């Protein structure tokens, strides 16, 4: 939408609660945060399949049954991790755009967007899982809550973009945010191919043009999209 380059950097690291019962709301919040931190650490070291509720519980120092009191399934854990990542990226982008606007040699907004996303590789990995792995497992209540979160996030990001990109209106900004979302998913996969594909691309000189570097490729593509958006005529009422 954290877990960035440093495992679980966006999540608190509370003192272990052990297997004692969490008797207060504060203890429950600590235990939930500890489970999320455990999941973040595991995901930083492996893939989606390598993270299980049992491994999370063991790493957090609680019983497996206790972990299920907080998260009904692994997908629910990843959904919460994604929301943390998205929320922190949105805050980071807003700050980066403000700093950039005050600089003597300000960068184009697409470059700032790409750089902030490149600094959060786990966000890209989580977004790759979102539509095919995480969302299909959500119940109706969770799905509604998550889409409400995304609605608010799009409005928040759109407001930041309108403030820092001349000529961009709120409707265009909302569409641009969705385009960023789609591009992060695709470019993450292009820039991080499976080892066998990476080897083929490296060994065959004819294929070197297919090797994608995440940040410059994303910045270039976002720049092209933004130029087209700003050049398009406004729709007639």
């Amino acid at each position: 939408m954290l877990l960035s380059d440093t495992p679980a950097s966006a999540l608190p690291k509370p003192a272990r609660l052990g297997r004692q019962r969490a008797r207060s709301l504060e203890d429950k919040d600590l235990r939930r945060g500890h489970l999320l931190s455990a999941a973040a650490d595991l995901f930083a070291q492996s893939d989606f399949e390598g993270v299980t509720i049992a491994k999370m519980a063991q790493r957090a120092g609680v019983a497996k049954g206790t972990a299920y009191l907080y998260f009904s399934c692994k997908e629910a854990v990843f959904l919460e991790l994604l929301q943390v990542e998205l929320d922190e990226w949105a805050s980071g982008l807003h700050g980066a755009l403000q700093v950039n606007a005050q600089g003597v040699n300000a960068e184009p907004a697409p470059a700032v967007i790409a750089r902030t996303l490149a600094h959060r590789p786990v966000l890209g990995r989580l977004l790759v899982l979102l539509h095919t792995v995480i969302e299909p497992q959500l119940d109706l209540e969770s799905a509604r809550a998550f889409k409400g979160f995304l609605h608010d996030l799009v409005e928040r990001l759109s407001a930041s973009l309108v403030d820092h990109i001349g000529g961009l209106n709120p409707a265009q900004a909302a569409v641009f945010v969705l385009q960023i979302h789609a591009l992060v998913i695709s470019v993450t996969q292009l820039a991080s191919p499976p080892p066998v594909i990476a080897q083929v691309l490296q060994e065959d000189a004819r294929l070197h043009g297919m090797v994608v570097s995440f940040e410059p490729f994303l910045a270039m593509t976002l720049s092209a999209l933004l130029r087209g958006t700003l050049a398009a005529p406004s729709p007639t009422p």
Side-chain angles (χ1 to χ4, degrees):
M1 326 122 80
L2 239 249
L3 313 146
S4 52
D5 306 75
T6 302
S9 63
L11 296 168
K13 286 284 191 179
R16 284 181 177 269
L17 295 176
R19 295 178 182 271
Q20 76 271 25
R21 300 185 64 180
R23 297 178 180 177
S24 68
L25 289 176
E26 183 179 358
D27 284 346
K28 289 179 180 179
D29 287 343
L30 287 172
R31 180 160 284 166
R32 185 183 191 88
H34 206 187
L35 286 164
L36 285 171
S37 292
D41 287 341
L42 289 167
F43 188 55
Q45 299 165 11
S46 61
D47 55 14
F48 179 79
E49 298 302 327
V51 181
T52 66
I53 295 290
K55 289 180 180 179
M56 282 172 46
Q58 181 180 24
R59 193 177 188 93
V62 302
K64 180 179 176 181
T66 300
Y68 277 109
L69 295 177
Y70 295 88
F71 300 103
S72 60
C73 61
K74 183 169 68 172
E75 288 78 11
V77 177
F78 275 77
L79 184 67
E80 190 156 338
L81 292 178
L82 174 60
Q83 290 180 87
V84 172
E85 281 283 328
L86 287 169
D87 181 69
E88 293 208 350
W89 170 65
S91 296
L93 176 61
H94 181 73
L97 287 170
Q98 287 186 317
V99 170
N100 183 65
Q102 297 167 2
V104 176
N105 298 311
E107 294 180 286
V112 179
I113 295 168
R115 186 175 68 252
T116 59
L117 286 164
H119 290 166
R120 307 197 79 92
V122 175
L123 175 56
R125 294 177 62 204
L126 289 167
L127 287 173
V128 168
L129 297 171
L130 175 60
H131 300 295
T132 57
V133 176
I134 299 173
E135 286 190 333
Q137 301 302 317
L138 300 183
D139 57 39
L140 190 58
E141 181 180 355
S142 298
R144 284 173 174 157
F146 178 60
K147 290 303 181 183
F149 164 83
L150 288 181
H151 173 272
D152 293 344
L153 184 76
V154 169
E155 288 195 336
R156 178 178 160 197
L157 289 166
S158 297
S160 292
L161 294 176
V162 168
D163 286 344
H164 293 93
I165 300 176
L168 190 70
N169 64 46
Q172 291 171 326
V175 172
F176 191 51
V177 170
L178 295 179
Q179 291 170 329
I180 294 170
H181 174 94
L183 278 171
V184 170
I185 293 172
S186 59
V187 178
T188 294
Q189 294 177 93
L190 283 172
S192 304
V196 64
I197 300 301
Q199 180 178 344
V200 169
L201 294 176
Q202 181 64 36
E203 291 175 347
D204 192 334
R206 299 173 304 163
L207 306 179
H208 287 178
M210 297 181 182
V211 176
V212 169
S213 180
F214 180 87
E215 184 176 343
F217 190 88
L218 182 62
M220 176 182 65
T221 309
L222 288 175
S223 295
L225 279 171
L226 186 58
R227 284 196 301 270
T229 297
L230 296 175
S234 300
T236 56

